[in-house]
């Protein structure tokens, strides 16, 4: 199978690495890719915002499957354009991708489908926002309605700050605060059938102890030994399948990856948000644990034949990813700093490094080219070992001004719970261990305002 992968970040490098290891993939192309992806795939320069150019590239490379990594091209309609050209695509069409493209639309779908979520109001004026803030009270949760690269949410006890964010964002969704551990669950779907992947947890705040500004994600781990063992099965039945059924009822079948951001509250699971693609950096650990071939799974979803795909297999043990960020991230990341030591990092048994924001100069030197520069993945028979491997490998990498959180998966690893190799069936959702180590997205975003301390490798 020839596959064309679209994207250039750490998520796409994780996808490329997994696809390249799949015996069914005979030819892997990526656009635009990055230096890490270029080691396992033929890369092509293209602007993913140019749908015509991407479609032309797909025609010229003639893949059996196109896998779309980032959300913006999907919301712009790339999936529709590829399918109209007769090219199989793993990724929803424009109308279906609005589950991520509009927080308000996603809430409408959840309400129609009976999916448990926070009470919310869509506000288009300052007066409406002020009324919603008064209705729900602090902590105030204000979400920009459109795409915001994971940074459009403000959770604060400061009413003035909440109102200012609403004013700046225009249309916003203001909702009640959810208190509970956050979990990310991915499901592959063909519009009718869905297959859940391994639940994971990521860390959005920049600093240790969930302090500092919100980011695109500073690390993740899987599996979750503290979570209810039937979590994936229960979320599939109560969240994923109802959303898929509702989108099909609306005439917009959802084919691709549906990401459910969840809060495990004392009252049960509540959906924080839907995303229309693999999450970053959770993908880096979830795919590391996947033992089933990936290409056939994604192709079955694109072809509408997922019902015959069979159960997924998961590798035993655990994976932890630590994000190495550039100086100034997330506000104003510095680019162009040389990177050294990746070869040393990958000599640590059980470790590998994924490129997230890198480039090469004319002399072939590897440089930082984004805010989140590298993802260091550690694996092991248990979470504590995987975490130790990830941090030893991260310590081998040198980049001026580079820094990373030191507490990714720390609380869960200290709990010494043995994480299950794959989801199992159980209806229990209300008993959560303190090993979760962090609260819901809302609770985390309500944390301190101090910036992350530079702790460069």
């Amino acid at each position: 199978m020839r596959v064309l992968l679209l994207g250039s970040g750490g998520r796409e490098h994780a996808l490329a690495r997994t696809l390249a290891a799949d015996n069914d993939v005979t030819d892997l192309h990526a656009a635009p890719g990055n230096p890490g992806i270029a080691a396992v795939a033929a890369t092509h320069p293209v602007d993913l915002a140019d749908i015509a150019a991407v479609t032309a590239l797909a025609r010229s490379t003639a893949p059996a499957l196109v896998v779309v990594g980032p959300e913006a091209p999907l919301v712009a309609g790339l999936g529709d354009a590829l399918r109209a050209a007769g090219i199989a695509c793993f990724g929803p069409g424009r109308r279906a991708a609005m589950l991520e493209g509009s927080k308000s639309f996603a809430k409408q779908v959840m309400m129609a489908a009976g999916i448990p979520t926070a009470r919310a109001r869509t506000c288009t004026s300052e007066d409406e926002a002020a009324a919603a803030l008064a209705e729900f009270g602090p902590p105030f949760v204000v979400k920009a309605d459109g795409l915001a690269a994971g940074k459009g949410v403000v959770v604060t006890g400061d009413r003035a700050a909440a109102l200012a964010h609403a004013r700046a964002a225009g249309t916003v969704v203001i909702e009640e605060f959810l208190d509970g551990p956050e979990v990310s669950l991915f499901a592959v779907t063909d519009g009718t059938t869905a297959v859940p992947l391994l639940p994971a947890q990521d860390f959005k705040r920049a600093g240790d102890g969930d302090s500092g500004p919100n980011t695109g994600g500073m690390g993740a781990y899987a599996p979750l030994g503290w979570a209810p063992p039937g979590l994936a099965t229960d979320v599939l039945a109560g969240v994923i399948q109802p959303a898929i059924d509702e989108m099909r009822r609306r005439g917009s079948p959802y084919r691709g990856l549906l990401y459910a951001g969840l809060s495990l509250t004392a009252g049960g699971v509540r959906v924080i948000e839907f995303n229309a693609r693999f999450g970053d950096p959770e993908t880096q650990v979830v795919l590391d644990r996947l033992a089933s071939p990936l290409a056939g799974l994604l192709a079955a979803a694109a072809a509408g034949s997922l019902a015959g795909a069979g159960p997924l297999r998961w590798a035993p043990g655990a994976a932890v990813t630590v994000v190495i960020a550039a100086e100034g991230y997330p506000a104003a990341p510095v680019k162009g700093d040389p990177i050294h030591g990746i070869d040393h990092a990958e000599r640590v048994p059980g470790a590998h490094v994924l490129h997230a924001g890198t480039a090469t100069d004319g002399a072939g030197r590897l440089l930082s080219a984004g805010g989140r520069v590298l993802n260091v993945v550690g694996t092991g028979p248990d979470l504590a070992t995987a975490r130790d491997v990830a941090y030893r490998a991260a310590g081998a990498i040198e980049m001026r001004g580079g820094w990373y959180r030191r507490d990714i998966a720390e609380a869960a690893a200290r709990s010494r719970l043995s994480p299950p190799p794959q989801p199992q069936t159980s209806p229990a959702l209300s008993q959560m261990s303190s090993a979760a180590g962090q609260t819901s997205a809302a609770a985390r975003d309500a944390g301190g305002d101090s910036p992350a301390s530079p702790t460069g490798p």
Side-chain angles (χ1 to χ4, degrees):
M1 180 190 306
R2 175 177 295 173
V3 177
L4 172 61
L5 171 65
L6 302 178
S8 60
R11 165 185 51 217
E12 286 77 30
H13 192 181
L15 284 162
R17 182 176 183 269
T18 306
L19 289 167
D22 189 330
N23 291 332
D24 291 334
V25 177
T26 56
D27 194 9
L28 181 59
H29 294 256
N34 63 38
I37 294 173
V40 296
T43 57
H44 306 266
V46 70
D47 180 0
L48 296 187
D50 188 338
I51 291 178
V54 176
T55 304
L57 173 64
R59 285 197 181 100
S60 66
T61 53
L65 177 68
V66 175
V67 178
V68 184
E71 65 275 16
L74 293 170
V75 173
L78 178 58
D80 299 314
L82 290 170
R83 280 186 277 268
I87 301 165
C89 174
F90 180 78
R94 181 185 63 81
R95 290 175 63 190
M98 289 307 289
L99 279 176
E100 178 169 4
S102 169
K103 296 289 193 298
S104 178
F105 175 75
K107 284 289 187 181
Q108 293 170 26
V109 169
M110 290 183 226
M111 292 296 102
I115 295 169
T117 187
R119 293 182 301 121
R121 297 283 182 268
T122 297
C123 306
T124 59
S125 70
E126 187 168 341
D127 287 345
E128 289 178 345
L133 293 174
E135 177 184 357
F136 295 126
F140 302 108
V141 182
V142 185
K143 301 179 177 181
D145 182 53
L147 294 179
K151 305 182 187 74
V153 179
V154 165
V155 181
T156 177
D158 185 338
R159 183 182 179 279
L163 197 57
H165 181 63
R167 188 184 306 115
T171 300
V172 295
V173 172
I174 295 176
E175 62 184 46
E176 66 177 335
F177 176 79
L178 294 177
D179 189 9
E182 181 192 354
V183 172
S184 300
L185 183 73
F186 307 160
V188 175
T189 176
D190 61 4
T192 301
T193 301
V195 177
L197 304 188
L198 199 66
Q201 186 176 68
D202 76 330
F203 295 74
K204 292 292 188 193
R205 299 296 287 240
D208 289 356
D210 294 322
S211 63
N214 200 35
T215 75
M218 295 302 300
Y221 70 96
L224 309 181
W226 50 267
L231 179 63
T233 300
D234 294 337
V235 172
L236 177 67
V239 173
I240 300 295
Q241 194 64 54
I244 293 167
D245 294 343
E246 176 64 19
M247 293 306 296
R248 189 173 63 252
R249 188 191 68 79
R250 290 171 178 242
S252 305
Y254 193 102
R255 295 186 291 270
L257 193 290
L258 182 58
Y259 166 126
L262 310 168
S263 179
L264 307 190
T265 74
V269 170
R270 299 291 183 269
V271 177
I272 300 167
E273 64 177 352
F274 283 131
N275 288 333
R277 38 67 190 180
F278 281 98
D280 189 342
E282 301 100 315
T283 299
Q284 289 81 317
V285 292
V286 172
L287 291 186
D288 183 83
R289 297 293 87 198
L290 181 65
S292 297
L294 179 63
L297 178 69
L298 304 188
S305 58
L306 198 57
L312 299 182
R313 293 178 291 108
W314 298 96
V320 174
T321 187
V322 175
V323 172
I324 297 181
E327 179 184 6
Y329 178 77
V334 176
K335 302 178 182 180
D337 284 307
I339 301 167
H340 303 285
I342 290 179
D343 53 341
H344 296 296
E346 293 191 322
R347 291 192 193 116
V348 176
H352 65 271
V353 179
L354 301 171
H355 293 235
T358 66
T360 53
D361 63 10
R365 295 185 307 162
L366 185 66
L367 307 175
S368 63
R372 294 186 294 172
V373 181
L374 297 170
N375 304 152
V376 182
V377 180
T379 64
D382 53 54
L383 192 58
T385 303
R387 184 174 184 275
D388 179 67
V389 168
Y391 277 106
R392 282 195 288 129
I397 296 174
E398 299 176 0
M399 183 179 73
R400 190 207 63 79
W403 59 274
Y404 49 86
R405 280 185 61 159
R406 306 282 178 165
D407 63 345
I408 303 300
E410 182 177 30
R414 282 180 177 172
S415 74
R416 298 185 179 179
L417 293 177
S418 299
Q422 63 188 56
Q424 301 172 8
T425 302
S426 169
L429 289 176
S430 62
Q431 299 300 315
M432 271 73 71
S433 166
S434 61
Q438 78 183 123
T439 53
S440 68
R444 287 187 292 108
D445 290 342
D449 296 324
S450 59
S453 301
T455 53

